[in-house]
Structures are given as C-alpha cells and as structure tokens.
Amino acid sequence: MQVCVYCASSGHIHPDYFEATSRMAHYLVESDIQVVFGGGSSGLMGQLADSVLAAGGQIRGIMPQFMNEVEWGHKGVSDFIYTQTMHERKAKFLEGTDALIALPGGPGTFEELFEAITLKKLAQFTKPIVILNTRGYFDTFNILMQKAVEERFMPNELNHLFTIVDTPEEVVPAIKSAHVWNKGLRDAGSLR
Ligand code: AMP
C-alpha cells in the first residue's frame, strides 16, 4: 500500500505538529505503508521523511526540478522523481496512490488538499482522503466546508469525500474504513 502525504514546509510551528507527524510516520511504517511526499527537508516534510527513514520505512519524494536546483530536497531520501512543473508534480502525487493524508500546512498544503477534494467530488480521484487535525488546526477548514454545504455550494455527501481525525493513531484505521467512492455517489453529490 502507498499513501501520499501533504504537509507543511514551515518549521516555525508548535512542537506538537512535529510530534504528531513523527507518530503518524511510525504507524505508517508499522502498517507496511510506503510514503510519497513533496520531497522537502524543512518543516513537517522533513520530520515525516526523518521519521519514516528512522523506522526503516520506504519514502519517495516528488519535486519540481527548480526546487531540486535550490537544494530544497531531503538529503536522506534516495528515491526521487523530478518534474518540470508544480502541476505535473501534483498529478504525480495522485498517480498510483491508495490514499491521501493531509497534515497541517500552509497554502501549498491547502491547495493540494482542495484539488484532491475537488477531483474526488467529480469522481476523477476516488481514494480515501484523511486529514489529521493536530491542535484543531483544521477546525476552521471544517467550518468552511460545512458552510458550503449549508449554503448548498456542496452536496451533503461531503462526509464521503474526506475524514478528519484528531490523532495520528486514527489515520490508518480511517483510511481502511473510508467510504468506497462510486459513480452513484458522484451523481447524488452533484447539485444542479
Ligand atoms: P506549505 O503547506 O505552504 O508549506 O506548502 C507545502 C508545499 O509547498 C509542498 O508540497 C511544496 O509544494 C511546497 N514547498 C513550499 N516550500 C517548500 C520548501 N522549502 N521545500 C519544499 N517544498 C516546498
């Protein structure tokens, strides 16, 4: 099994975020899950790679060439795919992945997560999306999405699109118990 993890490049964040990332990485390795990530060495990306490698797991970075040139790549990761553009990179994140995990992050993480949710709403991506809500970071995201449902910009089937969990221990079980996406849900989920 392979999962792609979206997460922060910033390292100027509360230690709880690092600790949760590290714990989740250990659970992924324990569950024999291979990890794909943005390839960065800073912030939660760096923590994720350090923790997966320390636990003896497998991790692949996918990074646009320009980031490699400015040496943003994690030096301990040997399995890398370099892309021409950020768009190509985002497409590669989704290729062949069995699930997506979003950890706390900034605009880059939000953008990646929103694209995946959008594609899932349209049934162009059908795998589980699990959001780890460390320190309640995604509470306001959840409120925003619920508002979109209340105002009928989003279908009620929102809950089928992604799962929000509070602890790293819940991530793998949430992947395994996520709703299986199908065309019926896409049709039920479209508001016309
Ligand atoms: P953010 O959530 O804004 O920190 O962005 C995380 C995403 O931004 C990653 O997937 C990368 O696309 C990109 N990114 C931003 N800064 C860096 C960096 N220093 N090293 C690697 N990737 C970065």
Side-chain angles (χ1 to χ4, degrees), residues 7-10 38 40 42 45 63 67 72 86 89 105-109 112:
C7 60
S9 57
S10 174
S42 61
M45 283 191 285
M63 189 174 247
M67 285 190 191
W72 282 359
M86 293 287 279
R89 176 206 213 190
T109 302
E112 290 158 349

Side-chain angles (χ1 to χ4, degrees), residues 90-102:
K90 267 194 301 170
K92 284 224 176 300
F93 281 149
L94 302 183
E95 269 173 32
T97 197
D98 296 301
L100 286 179
I101 300 169

Side-chain angles (χ1 to χ4, degrees), residues 6 90-91 93-97 100 114-129 161 181-187:
Y6 300 147
K90 267 194 301 170
F93 281 149
L94 302 183
E95 269 173 32
T97 197
L100 286 179
F114 269 115
E115 184 185 80
I117 291 172
T118 305
L119 290 173
K120 191 157 176 188
K121 185 167 169 285
L122 299 169
Q124 301 303 294
F125 175 76
T126 57
K127 303 295 169 58
I129 300 173
L161 296 179
W181 190 249
N182 61 51
K183 278 198 173 150
L185 278 174
R186 179 190 61 186
D187 296 341

Side-chain angles (χ1 to χ4, degrees), residues 47-66:
Q47 181 69 57
L48 177 73
D50 289 346
S51 305
V52 168
L53 292 170
Q58 288 185 49
I59 185 159
R60 167 179 291 167
I62 302 179
M63 189 174 247
Q65 190 57 41
F66 82 88

Side-chain angles (χ1 to χ4, degrees), residues 29-157:
V29 175
E30 257 179 33
S31 310
D32 269 334
I33 295 174
Q34 297 173 17
V35 179
V36 170
F37 80 128
S41 57
S42 61
L44 298 186
M45 283 191 285
Q47 181 69 57
L48 177 73
D50 289 346
S51 305
V52 168
L53 292 170
Q58 288 185 49
I59 185 159
R60 167 179 291 167
I62 302 179
M63 189 174 247
Q65 190 57 41
F66 82 88
M67 285 190 191
N68 183 39
E69 281 159 18
V70 291
E71 300 201 336
W72 282 359
H74 192 287
K75 299 286 181 272
V77 175
S78 53
D79 184 0
F80 257 98
I81 293 178
Y82 298 108
T83 63
Q84 290 304 309
T85 64
M86 293 287 279
H87 283 106
E88 195 192 331
R89 176 206 213 190
K90 267 194 301 170
K92 284 224 176 300
F93 281 149
L94 302 183
E95 269 173 32
T97 197
D98 296 301
L100 286 179
I101 300 169
L103 306 183
T109 302
F110 291 148
E111 192 242 355
E112 290 158 349
L113 175 60
F114 269 115
E115 184 185 80
I117 291 172
T118 305
L119 290 173
K120 191 157 176 188
K121 185 167 169 285
L122 299 169
Q124 301 303 294
F125 175 76
T126 57
K127 303 295 169 58
I129 300 173
V130 176
I131 298 168
L132 179 53
N133 192 26
T134 308
R135 289 175 65 79
Y137 183 72
F138 284 101
D139 287 351
T140 44
F141 163 86
N142 203 18
I143 290 168
L144 179 69
M145 297 305 266
Q146 295 302 336
K147 183 75 176 170
V149 171
E150 275 167 39
E151 295 289 325
R152 298 187 48 80
F153 288 102
M154 279 282 290
N156 257 326
E157 283 72 10

